[in-house]
Amino acid sequence: MTAHSKTSALMARGCEFLGSETAILCGAMSWVSERNLVAAISNAGGFGVIACGAMTPALLDAEIAATKTLTDKPFGVNLITMHPDLFELIEVCAKRGVTHVVLAGGIPPKGSVEAIKNSGAKVICFAPTLALGKKLLRSGADALVIEGSEAGGHIGPVSTSVLAQEILPTLAADHLVFVAGGIGRGEAIAGYLEMGAAGVQLGTRFACASESVAHPAFKKAFFRASAREAVASVQVDPRLPVIPVRALKNKGTEEFTAKQVAVAKLLDAGEVDMGEAQLQIERFWAGALRRAAIDGDIESGSIMAGQSVGMVNKEEPVTEIIAALMAESEAALGGRAGAPVIAA
């Protein structure tokens, strides 16, 4: 990485932690962040992360094993904290020697962080606020990801730039903090690295990589979309805690509103408890995303995308995406790699 000496120097802590050549993680995208894309990203010097999503322990076991046949580089596994088989999934990761486990979807349940660390793996957690970030670090998290509302998929209410200003000055000097949400170019990466980030996480930019198994129709929807078309879902019933999801607006967006109403009625009737209600919502998203990403149903499926989608306009190999990001970052930092940065 001598061609990107300034960027590499700022990424050094993140690279050492991840065991990768660059501190660029791929966000876990259900159905898309599977063996092919994960291995390609790790082989290209980034850090791939398998999206476990709703997988059973047996399916995750097979996916990790298959990924290891495609790369000998480190990669991680993203586990959803509300998964009913979370501890079995952790055991699968331990058995397969996974080096990094990302816990997403809420506060990690009691004993989960300890179970992961007992296997020798590193724990990465999402921190939507400074207070929660501090709590997660005290509870044993080895690193944090702060992800802004510009991201695709499940999102929080605060923008990436605000989270970075709130959290990095306080935590970044002594802890590893990766920034995510709305990052589509290397200039943004450079800015967050200069603020103290150990690295960054991108999802939308990698969703349309040549190695991504996403359906051609799904990728074409990305190429046509602008930032304003990636909208956040609306919470219909305040009693039903639903984490907003950012996706390209289509019929699937309307169907989710109807799904919330239906689940709220089941909750009112006492036919499901709150935990089951949330799981039904998660299963809806998992199924809707599969219809779009794998089956190519971009009308009623969920085309999860971040607001950086407007910067995704062609299919590229992962190696070219990472090379471009590093060159853009280096140029922004005043290095020689890449073209000079031109002010708007």
Side-chain angles (χ1 to χ4, degrees):
M1 288 298 164
T2 53
H4 313 115
S5 57
K6 294 187 177 183
T7 301
S8 296
L10 292 174
M11 285 184 171
R13 289 190 307 150
C15 291
E16 181 181 4
F17 172 73
L18 297 170
S20 55
E21 294 175 32
T22 71
I24 298 176
L25 296 88
C26 179
M29 300 171 283
S30 293
W31 307 113
V32 177
S33 296
E34 48 73 77
R35 65 191 72 173
N36 294 289
L37 182 60
V38 169
I41 288 169
S42 289
N43 286 335
F47 190 82
V49 179
I50 293 173
C52 175
M55 285 184 193
T56 63
L59 284 174
L60 178 62
D61 184 70
E63 195 62 37
I64 295 171
T67 305
K68 288 199 167 191
T69 67
L70 299 174
T71 183
D72 59 359
K73 301 293 179 63
F75 61 87
V77 173
N78 179 293
L79 302 179
I80 305 300
T81 56
M82 68 178 69
H83 197 297
D85 300 323
L86 176 62
F87 284 88
E88 290 179 53
L89 296 169
I90 291 172
E91 288 179 12
V92 168
C93 292
K95 181 184 76 172
R96 287 292 179 183
V98 172
T99 58
H100 298 70
V101 175
V102 183
L103 293 176
I107 297 175
K110 185 177 180 180
S112 58
V113 172
E114 292 83 354
I116 296 167
K117 292 175 75 73
N118 286 340
S119 74
K122 301 293 186 183
V123 179
I124 304 172
C125 293
F126 283 83
T129 66
L130 176 59
L132 185 55
K134 290 179 177 179
K135 181 178 180 180
L136 289 166
L137 291 167
R138 288 196 302 269
S139 299
D142 297 293
L144 301 176
V145 174
I146 56 174
E147 183 176 67
S149 59
E150 302 95 321
H154 291 298
I155 58 172
V158 182
S159 72
T160 304
S161 61
V162 172
L163 281 178
Q165 292 176 80
E166 178 186 9
I167 295 175
L168 290 177
T170 303
L171 297 181
D174 300 316
H175 303 281
L176 294 159
V177 183
F178 296 88
V179 177
I183 300 174
R185 289 184 56 88
E187 292 88 351
I189 294 174
Y192 291 125
L193 290 175
E194 286 189 309
M195 291 177 70
V200 294
Q201 176 181 288
L202 289 79
T204 300
R205 185 71 189 270
F206 288 119
C208 295
S210 304
E211 297 88 347
S212 166
V213 297
H215 194 281
F218 184 86
K219 293 182 180 182
K220 286 180 182 177
F222 272 51
F223 302 153
R224 292 193 299 262
S226 64
R228 67 176 62 193
E229 293 173 85
V231 298
S233 61
V234 177
Q235 183 176 347
V236 173
D237 191 324
R239 297 167 304 162
L240 185 62
V242 176
I243 301 173
V245 168
R246 187 176 299 285
L248 300 184
K249 190 173 183 179
N250 63 358
K251 290 180 181 177
T253 311
E254 299 170 8
E255 289 176 7
F256 176 57
T257 301
K259 178 65 176 179
Q260 287 187 71
V261 173
V263 172
K265 288 179 178 177
L266 292 175
L267 201 59
D268 287 340
E271 296 181 31
V272 297
D273 60 17
M274 189 61 73
E276 175 60 26
Q278 287 182 292
L279 279 175
Q280 285 199 21
I281 295 296
E282 287 304 309
R283 291 190 187 111
F284 171 89
W285 280 124
L289 179 58
R290 180 185 172 84
R291 288 200 302 276
I294 303 302
D295 301 334
D297 180 1
I298 59 172
E299 294 300 320
S300 62
S302 177
I303 314 171
M304 293 189 190
Q307 290 182 316
S308 61
V309 69
M311 298 175 232
V312 180
N313 50 38
K314 62 181 178 179
E315 190 176 62
E316 302 172 90
V318 165
T319 52
E320 292 183 14
I321 294 173
I322 291 178
L325 292 171
M326 292 294 287
E328 289 159 1
S329 173
E330 191 69 11
L333 293 170
R336 294 184 179 180
V341 179
I342 301 174

